[in-house]
Amino acid sequence: MDFEKQYTVDPAHIDVQGIMDGLYYPFYMESCRHDFIREVLGFDLEEQAHQGVFMVLSQYTIKYLRSLKKDDAFSVTCTLYADKSGGPRLHFKQNIVMNGKVMTTAVFTGTCVPAAGGRPYLPDAIKALVADAPQLEVETLK
């Protein structure tokens, strides 16, 4: 389940060094991931929140390889992975790519929790999609 969206660096995200501030890379990845979750997984975050289901991040790792600059056009990819241990977790491997070169790579891990509190779980519709996803290997940031 590969997914890709196109973006252009917002000039407001450029720091004093003339490169995109590191805080904004995860924001572009979040935008792509949320579109993936809605468009591919069929899970509308806002609608589900109103129904008492929160999809939340539990962790992420990110590796910066190259810097983006003002007005750079780039793509963000998103690929779903199942949890190797079978736990109620979703893993999203994401890359920021420009001109065929990976600029940044990351893995975001999430789950669902009841809005009223309780243990992490995956809704049945999500479980079915994750069942066909490849399992996340230990070393993912290559």
Side-chain angles (χ1 to χ4, degrees), residues 11-22:
H13 297 165
I14 300 302
D15 67 15
V16 297
Q17 301 172 91
I19 58 176
M20 188 164 77
D21 189 297

Side-chain angles (χ1 to χ4, degrees), residues 42-53:
F43 188 94
D44 185 295
L45 293 164
E46 186 175 352
E47 179 182 308
Q48 291 296 317
H50 290 301
Q51 294 179 22
V53 180

Side-chain angles (χ1 to χ4, degrees), residues 55 86-90 110-112 119-127 130:
M55 185 179 283
R89 290 179 288 279
L90 303 169
T111 191
C112 292
R119 300 189 56 76
Y121 73 101
L122 294 179
D124 290 338
I126 298 287
K127 276 187 198 175
V130 174

Side-chain angles (χ1 to χ4, degrees), residues 7 9 19 23 29 41 44 56 58 69 96-97 110 131 137-138:
Y7 299 91
V9 173
I19 58 176
L23 294 174
M29 291 175 162
L41 300 184
D44 185 295
V56 297
S58 57
K69 297 179 176 80
I96 292 178
V97 180
E137 293 299 322
V138 175

Side-chain angles (χ1 to χ4, degrees), residues 9-128:
V9 173
D10 184 326
H13 297 165
I14 300 302
D15 67 15
V16 297
Q17 301 172 91
I19 58 176
M20 188 164 77
D21 189 297
L23 294 174
Y24 291 104
Y25 292 76
F27 287 106
Y28 286 102
M29 291 175 162
E30 177 184 55
S31 175
C32 178
R33 190 173 59 256
H34 283 190
D35 286 348
F36 174 85
I37 290 167
R38 184 182 62 257
E39 295 173 26
V40 176
L41 300 184
F43 188 94
D44 185 295
L45 293 164
E46 186 175 352
E47 179 182 308
Q48 291 296 317
H50 290 301
Q51 294 179 22
V53 180
F54 291 169
M55 185 179 283
V56 297
L57 287 178
S58 57
Q59 69 178 21
Y60 72 90
T61 55
I62 191 164
K63 186 173 184 179
Y64 299 95
L65 304 170
R66 297 173 181 85
S67 297
L68 291 168
K69 297 179 176 80
K70 180 181 172 191
D71 298 326
D72 278 347
F74 61 94
S75 63
V76 179
T77 64
C78 187
T79 305
L80 176 68
Y81 287 86
D83 192 68
K84 194 170 187 170
S85 71
R89 290 179 288 279
L90 303 169
H91 304 283
F92 302 94
K93 182 169 183 187
Q94 295 190 257
N95 292 316
I96 292 178
V97 180
M98 187 177 77
N99 299 326
K101 292 183 180 178
V102 176
M103 309 298 279
T104 306
T105 187
V107 175
F108 292 82
T109 300
T111 191
C112 292
V113 294
R119 300 189 56 76
Y121 73 101
L122 294 179
D124 290 338
I126 298 287
K127 276 187 198 175

